């Protein structure tokens, strides 16, 4: 029985990126005689001729199918996809002779990428050596191609315009929809007068450049605004607190950008901001509780190394690592409950949990430094402000070998547990114990020992990210390339 899945997630056979459509919304089953439509417990339901279906329903070309309340499906095209009819659906690209599109270039891998039609033309890199680029941006997940997109194989490899040189007929998700109103699915004809008109004189007025969809623009804009605000506060005693908070958040954003780029998986900006905000509300009361527990421990300078290590691991390490990992656990719960409102905020692989845990940890570091080690309300002079900044700057940037590294490794093990549910708790406690131990070791060693612990923690963190990226590519390869074979 042939099955075709429909939904918002790029891994589906028919991708419908519209509001009201769930990540995995419905599926079509072809048994050789008829096509059956089944709803996959979607949030807004699937309707046939105005009636919401609760079980597999046979459909024909005369039926009217709606995903959610407003998104109508082109039934004829969907039936053709279910039966395997219609246009060519996959094109394998690479240097090897068994590909559909053979590129004889040293920058191109043997099996470099695959172009697959799933309601829109989606391009996936097959873990190639030199990567695949669309309009100059390296892709790490299935990427939808629009008319005129420039596809480059390797950073300095050959470039091909889509769809002219790929031997396919251009079509996008709007071909599968008859009632969609999303502007993101509309295709513009090539503009033969792009060098003329008012948008050439005022490029910011042009919608074609999609200015605010570029993450570099947002990053640069945030830096400029923050620096301008900090400049206005310079030398004003009443604004020290605002200056410190702004610098802390800007440094926090810089570390998160570094981690986001390392992970290499595309996520919306709020995927990073929401966990940090969650931790911001949970950290301050948690610090009060943790400080109360630590206050009962022996004086760290008057006990031996082993006792210090045990106290810092089981008191400080376990408590603080649990606080930092809370956003991951909450999102994991929402993912397992399949809460429709939070489809974008989900944990499905190690890269997701690493990024969420890292975001939570960097916010924890900022708030712990400001409220745990210093009191910004008592900062009234340049000397006091500089003393706080001297502590804040190294703590934030050293966190990639400290708090962020430990939480990131913990998140990596939780992500492994997501992929292997039967061993979830084993991975959870391995990650929890490792993070707490490294945390306790950091607090227990002499100042010079911090260099060794920090360096070792950073290497563990980088190894976890590299391994998570390999797992992510392997999962994508099995999903996409396995269906081609």
């Amino acid at each position: 029985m042939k099955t075709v899945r429909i939904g918002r997630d790029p891994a589906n056979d028919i991708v419908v990126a519209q509001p009201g459509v769930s990540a995995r919304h419905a599926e079509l089953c072809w048994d050789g005689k008829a096509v059956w439509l089944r709803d996959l417990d979607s949030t807004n339901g699937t309707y046939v001729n105005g009636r919401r279906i609760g079980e597999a329903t046979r459909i024909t070309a005369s039926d009217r199918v709606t995903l959610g309340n407003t998104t109508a499906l082109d039934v004829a095209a969907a039936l053709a996809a279910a039966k395997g009819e219609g246009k060519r659906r996959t094109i394998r690209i690479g240097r090897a002779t068994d590909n559909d599109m053979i590129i004889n270039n040293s920058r191109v891998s043997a099996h470099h990428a695959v172009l697959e039609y799933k309601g829109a033309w989606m391009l996936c890199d097959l873990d190639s050596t030199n990567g695949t680029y669309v309009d100059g941006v390296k892709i790490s997940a299935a990427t939808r191609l629009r008319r005129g997109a420039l596809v480059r194989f390797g950073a300095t490899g050959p470039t091909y315009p889509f769809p002219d040189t790929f031997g396919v007929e251009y079509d996008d998700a709007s071909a599968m929809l008859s009632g969609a109103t999303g502007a993101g699915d509309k295709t513009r004809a090539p503009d033969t007068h792009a060098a003329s008109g008012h948008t050439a004189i005022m490029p910011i007025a042009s919608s074609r450049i999609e200015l605010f969809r570029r993450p570099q623009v947002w990053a640069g804009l945030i830096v400029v605004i923050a620096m301008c605000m900090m400049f206005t506060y310079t030398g004003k005693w009443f604004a020290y607190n605002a200056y410190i908070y702004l610098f802390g958040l800007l440094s926090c954003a810089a570390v998160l950008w570094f981690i986001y780029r390392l992970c290499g998986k595309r996520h919306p900006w709020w995927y990073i901001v929401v966990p940090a905000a969650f931790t911001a509300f949970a950290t301050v009361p948690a610090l009060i509780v943790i400080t109360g527990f630590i206050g009962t421990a022996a004086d760290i300078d008057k006990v031996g190394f082993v006792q210090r290590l045990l106290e810092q691991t089981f008191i400080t390490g376990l408590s603080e690592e649990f606080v930092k990992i809370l956003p991951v656990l909450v999102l994991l719960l929402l993912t397992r409950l399949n809460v429709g409102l939070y489809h974008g905020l989900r944990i499905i692989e190690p890269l997701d949990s690493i990024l969420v845990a890292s975001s939570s940890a960097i916010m924890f570091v900022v708030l712990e430094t400001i409220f745990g080690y210093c009191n910004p309300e008592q900062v009234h002079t340049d000397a006091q402000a500089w003393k706080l900044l001297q502590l804040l700057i190294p703590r934030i940037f050293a966190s990639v070998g400290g708090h962020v590294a430990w939480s990131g490794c913990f998140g990596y093990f939780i992500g492994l547990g997501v992929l292997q549910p039967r061993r979830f708790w084993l991975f959870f406690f391995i990650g929890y114990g490792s993070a707490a131990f490294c945390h306790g070791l950091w607090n227990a060693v002499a100042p010079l020992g911090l260099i060794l612990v920090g360096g070792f923690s950073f290497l563990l963190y980088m190894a976890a990210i590299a391994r998570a990226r390999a797992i992510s590519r392997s999962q994508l390869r099995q999903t996409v390339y396995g269906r081609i074979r």
Side-chain angles (χ1 to χ4, degrees):
M1 178 179 290
K2 178 178 176 58
T3 301
V4 173
R5 289 203 169 184
I6 306 170
R8 196 177 66 246
D9 196 300
N12 290 293
D13 301 293
I14 298 176
V15 180
V16 184
Q18 293 294 319
V21 178
S22 297
R24 294 184 177 181
H25 196 103
E27 68 178 10
L28 296 167
C29 298
W30 166 245
D31 61 5
K33 296 180 180 180
V35 176
W36 299 81
L37 176 66
R38 185 166 68 92
D39 183 80
L40 298 178
D41 295 327
S42 63
T43 303
N44 298 311
T46 303
Y47 296 80
V48 175
N49 299 324
R51 181 179 61 85
R52 184 167 183 168
I53 63 174
E55 57 185 16
T57 302
R58 180 176 178 176
I59 62 171
T60 64
S62 62
D63 290 319
R64 179 167 52 88
V65 177
T66 306
L67 305 178
N69 299 320
T70 60
T71 306
L73 193 69
D74 186 337
V75 177
L79 290 175
K83 297 176 182 178
E85 302 171 351
K87 64 177 66 185
R88 188 181 185 187
R89 297 182 63 83
T90 57
I91 297 176
R92 295 174 296 179
I93 306 168
R95 200 175 64 249
T97 56
D98 61 343
N99 289 291
D100 301 304
M101 181 176 175
I102 302 171
I103 304 176
N104 189 15
N105 187 289
S106 60
R107 300 286 182 181
V108 180
S109 299
H111 296 97
H112 196 105
V114 61
L115 183 63
E116 187 173 19
Y117 185 79
K118 299 188 289 185
W121 286 107
M122 310 294 290
L123 181 67
C124 291
D125 183 82
L126 297 178
D127 198 15
S128 63
T129 303
N130 297 310
T132 303
Y133 297 75
V134 176
D135 292 330
V137 179
K138 188 175 183 180
I139 65 173
S140 57
T143 301
R144 178 178 168 181
L145 296 183
R146 297 180 180 272
R147 185 187 297 277
L150 295 178
V151 180
R152 187 171 73 247
F153 302 100
T156 58
T159 302
Y160 300 91
F162 177 82
D164 301 339
T165 55
F166 287 84
V168 299
E169 178 185 351
Y170 177 75
D171 201 357
D172 66 1
S174 61
M176 301 299 293
L177 304 172
S178 57
T181 57
D185 289 322
K186 294 180 180 178
T187 304
R188 294 173 179 260
D191 187 359
T192 58
H193 303 286
S196 62
H198 72 281
T199 59
I201 301 173
M202 299 180 62
I204 197 171
S206 173
S207 61
R208 290 181 61 85
I209 61 176
E210 298 179 329
L211 184 64
F212 293 106
R213 291 191 180 185
R214 300 173 183 270
Q216 298 91 338
V217 173
W218 283 107
L221 187 61
I222 291 172
V223 171
V224 169
I225 292 175
M227 286 300 178
C228 290
M229 293 178 68
M230 291 168 66
F231 180 77
T232 62
Y233 293 145
T234 302
K236 299 178 180 179
W237 65 269
F238 59 84
Y240 282 126
N241 292 349
Y243 189 99
I244 291 168
Y245 294 147
L246 275 172
F247 187 84
L249 291 176
L250 183 61
S251 303
C252 175
V255 173
L256 281 177
W257 177 254
F258 167 71
I259 296 166
Y260 175 77
R261 298 297 293 178
L262 277 180
C263 288
K265 182 176 181 180
R266 290 186 178 182
H267 279 297
W269 61 270
W270 40 263
Y271 193 87
I272 302 175
V273 172
V274 169
F278 180 93
T279 301
F281 287 102
T283 295
V284 175
L287 281 175
I288 297 174
V289 175
I290 293 170
T291 303
F293 277 116
I294 295 175
T296 62
D299 190 337
I300 194 171
D301 296 325
K302 297 181 180 180
V303 297
F305 172 75
V306 175
Q307 184 176 344
R308 290 202 307 270
L309 177 61
L310 291 175
E311 287 182 352
Q312 294 301 318
T313 298
F314 287 99
I315 297 177
T316 309
L318 290 178
S319 55
E320 291 191 2
E321 293 307 318
F322 182 77
V323 170
K324 292 185 292 178
I325 210 66
L326 273 176
V328 177
L329 299 180
V330 171
L331 292 185
L332 182 58
L333 177 62
L334 293 176
T335 301
R336 293 192 171 182
L337 292 176
N338 195 28
V339 178
L341 182 62
Y342 298 94
H343 272 309
L345 285 169
R346 55 182 185 167
I347 306 293
I348 60 175
E349 63 173 337
L351 277 179
D352 298 328
S353 49
I354 288 176
L355 191 57
V356 172
S358 301
S359 173
S360 172
I362 192 65
M363 180 57 69
F364 183 91
V365 170
V366 172
L367 295 182
E368 183 187 44
T369 304
I370 293 177
F371 295 103
Y373 292 90
C374 305
N375 184 358
E377 300 299 328
Q378 297 177 359
V379 176
H380 300 296
T381 65
D382 287 340
Q384 292 173 331
W386 176 240
K387 183 177 180 181
L388 177 54
L389 286 175
Q390 280 183 311
L391 180 62
L392 186 63
I393 293 171
R395 274 186 60 84
I396 290 177
F397 288 99
S399 63
V400 292
H403 279 284
V404 173
W406 308 326
S407 296
C409 291
F410 191 0
Y412 168 75
F413 282 103
I414 290 179
L416 288 182
V418 171
L419 297 180
Q420 301 182 46
R422 294 183 179 181
R423 304 172 66 186
F424 176 84
W425 290 110
L426 173 63
F427 286 125
F428 177 87
F429 285 112
I430 290 176
Y432 195 11
S434 300
F437 176 77
C438 289
H439 194 147
L441 188 61
W442 172 283
N443 289 348
V445 297
L448 289 179
L450 294 179
I451 299 174
L452 295 177
V453 177
F456 180 68
S457 300
F458 176 76
L459 292 177
L460 286 179
Y461 185 41
M462 294 299 103
I465 291 177
R467 183 58 182 164
R469 291 189 63 163
I471 291 173
S472 180
R473 289 174 178 173
S474 176
Q475 293 288 110
L476 176 63
R477 198 168 189 172
Q478 291 175 11
T479 301
V480 178
Y481 196 57
R483 284 206 301 267
I484 297 173
R485 291 182 172 178

